[in-house]
Amino acid sequence: MDGSLAGDTTPLTDSRVVGTWNGTNCPATLTIDADHSARVTGFPVASDGSKVTKTVAGEGSWKIEPAVGHTLSRLSLTIGSAGHEAASGKDGSTTVLFVTVGDPDDGVACRYTRSSSK
């Protein structure tokens, strides 16, 4: 992988997201099941503007939000009662999911690569 992250214009589908995703730059795991349930460990939910300051573990659900206008499709996660979004991209030829933590202008995000599909 070359380390550069580019937006992925390929629409998200269930088959593209179902599986186990591991954080590449954070100690997190995201498991997306075909029944639209999800489990997370070390999931980043807060930052101080330069690094993740709070993570959670738990169960929840997911759905794919369709593309609207110039906004690409994205993965919408509900963990407990909190909502989160993951976008897709490419790191070289590898599909990644990334979760922005806090203010997007700060650039704090967790990247995930899929280690297995189900």
Side-chain angles (χ1 to χ4, degrees), residues 7-114:
D8 185 0
T9 59
T10 307
L12 288 177
T13 61
D14 287 12
S15 64
R16 284 189 69 205
V17 299
V18 168
T20 300
W21 297 78
N22 293 306
T24 61
N25 64 335
C26 60
T29 301
L30 171 60
T31 303
I32 305 293
D33 292 320
D35 67 358
H36 289 256
S37 64
R39 291 177 307 286
V40 298
T41 60
F43 190 82
V45 294
S47 80
D48 66 4
S50 65
K51 66 182 181 303
V52 172
T53 57
K54 182 179 179 185
T55 63
V56 297
E59 297 182 358
S61 61
W62 66 273
K63 65 181 176 179
I64 295 173
E65 298 289 347
V68 177
H70 294 289
T71 303
L72 300 174
S73 60
R74 60 201 181 284
L75 179 65
S76 177
L77 296 164
T78 301
I79 306 301
S81 61
H84 307 278
E85 287 188 354
S88 64
K90 291 281 189 182
D91 191 351
S93 62
T94 303
T95 297
V96 297
L97 293 177
F98 54 98
V99 175
T100 300
V101 187
D103 186 338
D105 292 335
D106 292 336
V108 179
C110 184
R111 293 183 193 185
Y112 296 85
T113 58
R114 188 163 64 170

